[in-house]
Amino acid sequence: MFLKTSFTTVIVGVFVVYVLHTCWVMYGIVYTKPCDHPKGVNCITPFLAGNPKLQLSVYTALRANADGGHTLIHKEEEFNVSSKFERIVNVSLPKKTRNNGTLFALIFVHQAGVNPWQDPRHVHFVSQLTTYMVPKPPEISLISGNDQTQVRREKTRPTSGSEARGGASSSSSSDHPVSHWRSRLTLNIVSDHFLFDREHLPSDVHRYLRVFQNGKRMVYLPLLFVDQLSNRVKDLVINSTSIELPLTISYDSISLGRLRFWIHMQDAVSSLQQFGFTEKDADEIKGIFVDTNLYFLALTFFVAAFHLLFDFLAFKNDISFWKQKKSMVGMSSKAVLWRCFSTIVIFLYLFDEQTSLLVLIPAGIGSIIEVWKVKKALKIQVFWKGGKPTFLFGKLDESERRTGEYDTLAMKYLSYLLYPLCVGGAVYALIYLRYKSWYSWVINSLVNGEPLLFILKQGSHIGKISVAHLPWKAFMYKVRSLLVHSQTNLL
């Protein structure tokens, strides 16, 4: 019985186990076992239960330990943990920060009217206000050479004068990482008066927990958390030589379950960056969590999981179908060739746009498979002689030649309409839009014309491809397309 089990059945079984295990892990993250006996010695009670008068103070410093001085940039004297607020403050940048240096934010929650460094019952968190990233190359008009996009960015960027604008422009053109200003600082405090059990204290919360002895009971101070997932690439500003830059300080209370979930996601993003993911790659992942409701996020997980499964099965069945294909009777060779061309163009476009590796790698795999399918469809054989490849094309039989004639005839009439539209769109883009280079314009024009070319290649063989040859493959592609559109709408 086991020997007759198909590979697809094994994969689906592993997928089901993976989904169930993930659900169990997620439940363990969002659920925390409370203390069963509130008056027991094992319970850790919240400091906020006594409704203390608190103050929020935010400082800046060149070092994380505040050695060398610190500057107060904002304080909330009547700080209410349950009240949401957002403040915009102008931060003066030290000379070292302007010279491609760093700057840290020191956030304190302490007793009102008391210096945070003299308050034994304060909580603090250190967050970096700058990050290093290679700036995006400016886009120019390929005809006039005007860099209006860069000029528009300089006008909207806070500067200290023409010198600052010149410094930003020179930094932007550099291929080396430069210091960028994080214009948002998002703070959270757990407002739940949750009773922790010392014997079941979550490890993820333990590093944020500060406790003190109050008689025979243990009391924990407010759980302060800085949301690093809210730091998006779109909010980054090049430091240049600006003397002041705005900083948006936003605060909101957070539940314990959401805090634990956020800690795990933030640690996952940090681990990816340690493995070589760039700031932009990490930003793609951050957008999934920040811009999506938690319920939609859970639904997105299942959609993404099924998308991954159907993607794998579609690749598997696609390869199996073409591996067994010996004749192109009833199928369009030109359609396969156009599909390969379109897939490669999309991959080059994603590569030119420096898209996340999460998208770029599957696109690259798909391009390799399409090239292999062209080799099968055109019956190409490759022979190596003295390190040089020699290509040998196979002969077509009468039925395959007849199919090719139908393709040529259909594409002839459709091209009269679609080719001028593609050329017109490329000329319009060249005149009115801006690109990084001529190569970028060519790739963007091909990608913009790809839907029209898709209609052309599909219309050229309507009625000649029998879906009966590949029912499971067609079903997989339809379901996968539906899941992709659903996932895109959710994100």
Side-chain angles (χ1 to χ4, degrees):
M1 181 68 181
F2 178 76
L3 297 177
K4 295 182 179 180
T5 303
S6 65
F7 179 71
T8 302
T9 304
V10 174
I11 293 299
V12 173
V14 172
F15 170 77
V16 172
V17 173
Y18 166 75
V19 171
L20 293 177
H21 176 264
T22 303
C23 292
W24 174 254
V25 171
M26 295 300 296
Y27 173 77
I29 292 176
V30 298
Y31 174 76
T32 306
K33 187 179 184 302
C35 188
D36 297 329
H37 305 286
K39 296 183 179 181
V41 294
N42 286 334
C43 292
I44 307 177
T45 59
F47 180 71
L48 294 177
N51 295 322
K53 292 184 179 180
L54 300 176
Q55 178 177 322
L56 173 68
S57 301
V58 182
Y59 297 83
T60 58
L62 291 173
R63 298 182 181 179
N65 56 7
D67 287 348
H70 53 273
T71 304
L72 178 65
I73 61 173
H74 181 72
K75 65 178 180 179
E76 292 283 332
E77 295 182 348
E78 297 181 358
F79 178 56
N80 186 355
V81 175
S82 302
S83 298
K84 178 181 179 180
F85 68 82
E86 184 172 287
R87 307 283 188 264
I88 300 178
V89 297
N90 291 323
V91 180
S92 298
L93 301 182
K95 185 177 180 179
K96 290 184 178 180
T97 304
R98 298 198 300 268
N99 294 333
N100 210 25
T102 59
L103 192 67
F104 294 90
L106 285 69
I107 305 100
F108 288 87
V109 176
H110 55 97
Q111 298 182 65
V114 180
N115 189 305
W117 276 274
Q118 298 176 355
D119 183 7
R121 295 180 180 178
H122 78 268
V123 290
H124 78 282
F125 201 101
V126 179
S127 178
Q128 192 168 332
L129 293 177
T130 56
T131 186
Y132 289 92
M133 189 177 67
V134 176
K136 184 179 180 180
E139 296 179 348
I140 63 174
S141 173
L142 298 177
I143 296 180
S144 63
N146 293 331
D147 186 4
Q148 296 184 7
T149 305
Q150 181 68 15
V151 172
R152 194 157 51 243
R153 283 202 298 264
E154 291 168 355
K155 289 182 179 179
T156 58
R157 185 186 302 130
T159 61
S160 59
S162 60
E163 180 184 0
R165 289 193 293 271
S169 179
S170 62
S171 299
S172 299
S173 59
S174 174
D175 294 332
H176 302 286
V178 298
S179 181
H180 285 63
W181 175 255
R182 287 176 171 169
S183 59
R184 294 194 64 87
L185 181 63
T186 305
L187 311 176
N188 301 112
I189 290 181
V190 177
S191 58
D192 304 339
H193 295 170
F194 190 86
L195 292 176
F196 286 104
D197 191 335
R198 297 171 61 178
E199 297 180 355
H200 299 89
L201 190 63
S203 58
D204 45 35
V205 179
H206 187 271
R207 52 180 156 159
Y208 294 91
L209 205 64
R210 278 200 62 200
V211 299
F212 65 92
Q213 192 76 30
N214 185 14
K216 295 182 179 181
R217 309 193 66 179
M218 297 291 292
V219 180
Y220 69 91
L221 294 172
L223 292 172
L224 175 63
F225 177 73
V226 177
D227 186 4
Q228 302 289 354
L229 295 178
S230 299
N231 294 328
R232 306 294 305 282
V233 170
K234 63 183 179 181
D235 298 324
L236 295 179
V237 179
I238 297 179
N239 280 350
S240 68
T241 54
S242 303
I243 297 178
E244 285 189 351
L245 284 176
L247 176 65
T248 302
I249 302 175
S250 60
Y251 168 80
D252 196 5
S253 59
I254 189 173
S255 64
L256 179 60
R258 189 183 183 93
L259 171 69
R260 295 189 59 194
F261 178 78
W262 239 232
I263 291 174
H264 281 269
M265 296 304 104
Q266 194 163 284
D267 290 345
V269 173
S270 299
S271 299
L272 291 176
Q273 290 180 299
Q274 292 177 0
F275 278 109
F277 275 57
T278 63
E279 185 79 23
K280 188 172 182 180
D281 294 331
D283 187 73
E284 299 284 344
I285 305 175
K286 289 180 182 179
I288 299 177
F289 304 111
V290 176
D291 300 335
T292 309
N293 182 278
L294 277 182
Y295 296 104
F296 279 143
L297 185 61
L299 180 60
T300 301
F301 162 74
F302 287 103
V303 171
F306 278 98
H307 174 218
L308 180 64
L309 174 65
F310 287 122
D311 212 8
F312 175 81
L313 293 178
F315 277 136
K316 170 186 171 296
N317 286 273
D318 198 14
I319 293 174
S320 299
F321 171 78
W322 281 95
K323 191 175 181 180
Q324 300 172 2
K325 190 69 177 174
K326 302 299 182 183
S327 174
M328 289 298 293
V329 176
M331 298 190 69
S332 172
S333 299
K334 289 185 175 64
V336 178
L337 189 62
W338 274 114
R339 182 179 179 85
C340 176
F341 173 76
S342 302
T343 306
I344 294 176
V345 166
I346 293 175
F347 171 75
L348 294 176
Y349 169 78
L350 295 174
F351 184 80
D352 183 63
E353 292 294 319
Q354 298 178 350
T355 308
S356 170
L357 294 175
L358 299 174
V359 179
L360 193 61
I361 292 177
I365 295 175
S367 300
I368 295 174
I369 293 177
E370 292 300 327
V371 172
W372 174 74
K373 287 162 61 175
V374 169
K375 177 179 176 294
K376 293 284 294 185
L378 300 182
K379 301 179 180 180
I380 301 175
Q381 294 181 346
V382 183
F383 300 95
W384 294 87
K385 295 181 180 179
K388 295 182 179 180
T390 302
F391 298 94
L392 180 63
F393 291 83
K395 295 182 179 181
L396 303 179
D397 57 27
E398 184 62 29
S399 300
E400 291 175 330
R401 279 196 295 269
R402 231 181 358 253
T403 301
E405 293 175 359
Y406 295 149
D407 283 342
T408 303
L409 182 63
M411 292 183 69
K412 176 182 177 181
Y413 295 109
L414 287 173
S415 62
Y416 292 157
L417 173 65
L418 298 181
Y419 283 149
L421 290 177
C422 293
V423 174
V427 174
Y428 175 86
L430 179 63
I431 297 175
Y432 294 102
L433 301 180
R434 286 162 177 78
Y435 300 94
K436 294 178 291 185
S437 62
W438 285 98
Y439 171 78
S440 180
W441 168 72
V442 172
I443 292 297
N444 277 268
S445 300
L446 291 175
V447 169
N448 292 333
E450 194 272 336
L452 296 177
L453 298 178
F454 177 81
I455 296 175
L456 175 62
K457 66 185 179 65
Q458 293 296 328
S460 66
H461 61 281
I462 290 178
K464 296 193 292 296
I465 294 182
S466 175
V467 182
H469 288 90
L470 55 162
W472 178 245
K473 173 176 173 292
F475 172 76
M476 282 299 177
Y477 272 110
K478 289 181 180 179
V479 174
R480 187 180 64 167
S481 300
L482 178 62
L483 289 173
V484 170
H485 288 301
S486 303
Q487 184 179 7
T488 304
N489 293 333
L490 287 174
L491 296 180

